[in-house]
Amino acid sequence: MRRRVWCGVGWAVLVTALTLIVYGSRAWAGPSRSGPSAAAPAVRVAAGVAAESARARAVAGAGAGADVGVPAIGRVWPVGVRPSVLRGWEPPATPYGPGHRGVDLAAAPGSPVRAVAAGRVAFAGRVAGRGVVTVELTGTGLRTTYEPVRPSVEKGAEVGAGDVVGVVAETGAHCGASACVHWGLLRGGTYLNPLSLLPPWLLGRGPSRLLPVLTG
């Protein structure tokens, strides 16, 4: 008899506790909302912040990944004023290993492509179906490459910092669906980080300054 009584009491306590938990959780959650989730704007803001952070990290990587011995002689970006870096410098562990031997800069087809520093055009033509311009930088032993472009210069031409060497090609984009310019830097057969050529004020890490553009 006592056992039945205690069993009945136990079940009653259990049912009461479950009821309190269910209704208590609804009360704390508040009334439900219809339509788009209230969290959607926050998700969109977070996505925008993440994208901006990715671009900032790619540019900031020029400081941590700057190559020793590369002079910061750049006076302009190859395209635009301060283009988005779609993919940064990813040096391969071995000469033939996977990596990214340059940086990809967002640019619309037909946009002018400029020499970042003074030099001489060492190559202007097509490689593997894509237009390429190579400029040997004066007195450095370095050369920069730009692709895919439609060259407007010829081999042997002298160019100054900011001079147009071609325009972004409409086809053969290096970045797939996104239009871009792949900018490379080499010393001999060794690939280097091209962002090392840009001084801090061009990378957005210091105050802007007006410097003379060297054409000789």
Side-chain angles (χ1 to χ4, degrees), residues 36-51:
S37 171
V43 171
R44 287 194 295 269
V45 170
V49 171

Side-chain angles (χ1 to χ4, degrees), residues 100-212:
H100 192 233
R101 297 164 173 82
V103 295
D104 294 340
L105 306 176
S111 300
V113 179
R114 303 178 185 278
V116 299
R120 183 181 63 86
V121 177
F123 179 84
R126 301 186 70 80
V127 176
R130 286 190 292 213
V132 179
V133 172
T134 300
V135 177
E136 295 178 342
L137 303 183
T138 304
T140 65
L142 301 169
R143 64 186 189 276
T144 57
T145 61
Y146 313 94
E147 64 173 292
V149 301
R150 287 192 285 111
S152 59
V153 292
E154 296 181 352
K155 180 179 178 179
E158 298 288 334
V159 295
D163 286 354
V164 175
V165 297
V167 297
V168 181
E170 293 83 357
T171 59
H174 173 80
C175 298
S178 301
C180 76
V181 166
H182 179 78
W183 177 28
L185 175 67
L186 298 97
R187 177 184 285 122
T190 302
Y191 285 88
L192 304 170
N193 184 356
L195 292 177
S196 302
L197 289 170
L198 301 182
W201 60 271
L202 263 179
L203 289 168
R205 296 202 306 268
S208 298
R209 294 183 297 157
L210 294 177
L211 294 180

Side-chain angles (χ1 to χ4, degrees), residues 35-123:
S37 171
V43 171
R44 287 194 295 269
V45 170
V49 171
E52 186 61 33
S53 297
R55 287 191 292 269
R57 284 195 300 271
V59 174
D67 288 296
V68 176
V70 175
I73 58 175
R75 293 295 180 266
V76 295
W77 284 85
V79 290
V81 177
R82 189 168 292 168
S84 295
V85 179
L86 302 179
R87 185 178 179 186
W89 164 248
E90 300 168 12
T94 61
Y96 301 102
H100 192 233
R101 297 164 173 82
V103 295
D104 294 340
L105 306 176
S111 300
V113 179
R114 303 178 185 278
V116 299
R120 183 181 63 86
V121 177
F123 179 84

Side-chain angles (χ1 to χ4, degrees), residues 8 16-17 22 25 90 140 169 192 214:
T16 301
V22 171
S25 62
E90 300 168 12
T140 65
L192 304 170
L214 304 178

